[in-house]
Amino acid sequence: MTVPHKERFFEDYQVGEVVEFGDYPITREEIIEFAGRYDPQAFHTDESAASQSNYGGLIASGWMTAAVMMRMLVDHFVSSTASMGSPGIDELRWLRPVRPGDRLRVRVTVLESRRSQTKPDRGAVLSLDEVINQDDEVVMTMKGWGLYRARSTPA
């Protein structure tokens, strides 16, 4: 990444680019608080019940993992200068449980970049976003699109 992430425009996201960042500690308290509000299944909220589940202990909601990833994307990858949001994601996979004490980071690979034909002042960037724990295990993957303003518009 040659241009600082906050100053990037559509043209600065290059196909094949790989960026890795973040170090987010997962706590028991955050797992329980998030799940209590958004995903109150026993294996996310109750340590005793979680120990009897197929997970053998408390695990984070996959939605919490996605939210943590989004925070790291905003802090380290998405341009605050040019971001126009997202039209959606194509694929989301939770591959391994995230547990208290895990430390997560994100690896982003730019897969595709295309300028809008109808609105040439912007473009869409498809990326593969991988959430990785402290043991270098991929715990979640997502393929999604980001919309970014272009620095210049073709004549």
Side-chain angles (χ1 to χ4, degrees), residues 11 13 46-47 53 57 59 70 76 89-90 102-103 116 122 134 154:
E11 297 90 340
Y13 294 91
D46 182 317
E47 287 179 288
S53 76
I59 64 168
M70 188 67 219
H76 301 284
I89 62 173
D90 293 337
D102 282 355
R103 296 190 78 86
S116 171
R122 66 195 68 180
Q134 70 283 349

Short mmCIF file of all heavy atoms in Angstrom, two decimals, residues 11 13 46-47 53 57 59 70 76 89-90 102-103 116 122 134 154:
data_model
loop_
_atom_site.label_atom_id
_atom_site.label_comp_id
_atom_site.label_asym_id
_atom_site.label_seq_id
_atom_site.Cartn_x
_atom_site.Cartn_y
_atom_site.Cartn_z
N GLU A 11 -8.58 4.21 -7.62
CA GLU A 11 -7.42 3.82 -8.43
C GLU A 11 -6.29 3.21 -7.61
O GLU A 11 -5.41 2.53 -8.14
CB GLU A 11 -6.86 5.03 -9.19
CG GLU A 11 -7.80 5.64 -10.20
CD GLU A 11 -8.69 6.74 -9.63
OE1 GLU A 11 -8.88 6.81 -8.39
OE2 GLU A 11 -9.21 7.53 -10.42
N TYR A 13 -6.49 0.96 -5.20
CA TYR A 13 -6.72 -0.43 -4.81
C TYR A 13 -6.35 -1.32 -6.00
O TYR A 13 -7.07 -1.36 -6.99
CB TYR A 13 -8.17 -0.65 -4.38
CG TYR A 13 -8.51 0.10 -3.10
CD1 TYR A 13 -9.02 1.39 -3.14
CD2 TYR A 13 -8.29 -0.50 -1.86
CE1 TYR A 13 -9.31 2.07 -1.97
CE2 TYR A 13 -8.57 0.18 -0.69
CZ TYR A 13 -9.08 1.47 -0.75
OH TYR A 13 -9.37 2.15 0.42
N ASP A 46 -23.30 -18.17 28.32
CA ASP A 46 -23.29 -18.91 29.58
C ASP A 46 -22.14 -19.91 29.57
O ASP A 46 -22.19 -20.92 28.84
CB ASP A 46 -24.64 -19.61 29.73
CG ASP A 46 -24.78 -20.38 31.03
OD1 ASP A 46 -23.82 -21.08 31.43
OD2 ASP A 46 -25.87 -20.31 31.62
N GLU A 47 -21.13 -19.65 30.38
CA GLU A 47 -19.94 -20.51 30.37
C GLU A 47 -20.26 -21.95 30.76
O GLU A 47 -19.70 -22.89 30.17
CB GLU A 47 -18.87 -19.94 31.30
CG GLU A 47 -18.21 -18.71 30.72
CD GLU A 47 -17.15 -18.13 31.62
OE1 GLU A 47 -17.52 -17.54 32.65
OE2 GLU A 47 -15.96 -18.26 31.28
N SER A 53 -21.69 -27.76 25.52
CA SER A 53 -22.04 -27.71 24.10
C SER A 53 -21.00 -28.44 23.26
O SER A 53 -19.96 -28.86 23.76
CB SER A 53 -22.13 -26.25 23.62
OG SER A 53 -20.84 -25.70 23.47
N GLY A 57 -16.87 -24.97 25.35
CA GLY A 57 -16.56 -23.74 26.06
C GLY A 57 -17.15 -22.54 25.36
O GLY A 57 -17.69 -22.65 24.25
N ILE A 59 -17.74 -19.38 23.20
CA ILE A 59 -17.21 -18.89 21.91
C ILE A 59 -17.92 -17.60 21.54
O ILE A 59 -19.05 -17.34 21.95
CB ILE A 59 -17.37 -19.92 20.77
CG1 ILE A 59 -18.85 -20.20 20.47
CG2 ILE A 59 -16.60 -21.19 21.08
CD1 ILE A 59 -19.09 -20.96 19.19
N MET A 70 -14.77 -5.70 10.83
CA MET A 70 -15.16 -4.43 10.22
C MET A 70 -14.44 -3.27 10.89
O MET A 70 -13.98 -2.34 10.22
CB MET A 70 -16.69 -4.25 10.31
CG MET A 70 -17.20 -3.06 9.54
SD MET A 70 -16.97 -3.32 7.76
CE MET A 70 -16.50 -1.68 7.25
N HIS A 76 -7.76 0.37 9.33
CA HIS A 76 -6.51 0.10 8.63
C HIS A 76 -6.60 -0.05 7.11
O HIS A 76 -5.56 -0.19 6.46
CB HIS A 76 -5.87 -1.19 9.17
CG HIS A 76 -5.58 -1.15 10.63
ND1 HIS A 76 -4.51 -0.47 11.16
CD2 HIS A 76 -6.24 -1.70 11.68
CE1 HIS A 76 -4.51 -0.61 12.47
NE2 HIS A 76 -5.55 -1.35 12.81
N ILE A 89 -22.11 -8.21 0.46
CA ILE A 89 -21.09 -9.26 0.44
C ILE A 89 -21.61 -10.44 -0.35
O ILE A 89 -22.81 -10.65 -0.48
CB ILE A 89 -20.68 -9.68 1.86
CG1 ILE A 89 -21.86 -10.27 2.64
CG2 ILE A 89 -20.08 -8.52 2.61
CD1 ILE A 89 -21.48 -10.87 3.96
N ASP A 90 -20.68 -11.19 -0.90
CA ASP A 90 -21.04 -12.37 -1.69
C ASP A 90 -20.93 -13.65 -0.89
O ASP A 90 -21.60 -14.63 -1.19
CB ASP A 90 -20.12 -12.48 -2.92
CG ASP A 90 -20.35 -11.34 -3.90
OD1 ASP A 90 -21.44 -10.74 -3.89
OD2 ASP A 90 -19.43 -11.05 -4.68
N ASP A 102 -8.26 -15.19 22.48
CA ASP A 102 -7.76 -15.14 21.10
C ASP A 102 -7.38 -13.70 20.74
O ASP A 102 -7.93 -12.74 21.28
CB ASP A 102 -8.81 -15.64 20.10
CG ASP A 102 -8.93 -17.16 20.05
OD1 ASP A 102 -8.13 -17.85 20.72
OD2 ASP A 102 -9.84 -17.65 19.36
N ARG A 103 -6.43 -13.58 19.83
CA ARG A 103 -6.03 -12.27 19.29
C ARG A 103 -6.23 -12.37 17.78
O ARG A 103 -5.68 -13.26 17.14
CB ARG A 103 -4.58 -11.95 19.63
CG ARG A 103 -4.36 -11.81 21.14
CD ARG A 103 -3.00 -11.26 21.45
NE ARG A 103 -2.93 -9.84 21.25
CZ ARG A 103 -3.27 -8.92 22.16
NH1 ARG A 103 -3.71 -9.30 23.33
NH2 ARG A 103 -3.15 -7.64 21.89
N SER A 116 -17.19 2.04 -12.45
CA SER A 116 -18.60 2.02 -12.84
C SER A 116 -18.75 2.56 -14.26
O SER A 116 -18.17 3.59 -14.61
CB SER A 116 -19.42 2.88 -11.87
OG SER A 116 -20.73 3.04 -12.35
N ARG A 122 -16.64 6.76 -9.76
CA ARG A 122 -16.47 5.79 -8.68
C ARG A 122 -16.17 4.41 -9.24
O ARG A 122 -16.33 4.16 -10.43
CB ARG A 122 -17.71 5.73 -7.81
CG ARG A 122 -18.93 5.20 -8.55
CD ARG A 122 -20.21 5.46 -7.83
NE ARG A 122 -20.47 6.89 -7.85
CZ ARG A 122 -21.52 7.48 -7.31
NH1 ARG A 122 -22.41 6.75 -6.70
NH2 ARG A 122 -21.68 8.76 -7.37
N GLN A 134 -4.22 -15.93 16.68
CA GLN A 134 -2.82 -15.89 17.10
C GLN A 134 -2.05 -17.15 16.70
O GLN A 134 -0.82 -17.15 16.68
CB GLN A 134 -2.72 -15.67 18.61
CG GLN A 134 -3.19 -16.85 19.46
CD GLN A 134 -4.71 -16.99 19.55
OE1 GLN A 134 -5.44 -16.10 19.14
NE2 GLN A 134 -5.17 -18.12 20.07
N PRO A 154 -12.45 9.50 -16.26
CA PRO A 154 -11.97 9.44 -17.64
C PRO A 154 -12.72 10.45 -18.52
O PRO A 154 -13.89 10.72 -18.30
CB PRO A 154 -12.29 8.02 -18.09
CG PRO A 154 -12.71 7.27 -16.89
CD PRO A 154 -13.04 8.26 -15.83
#
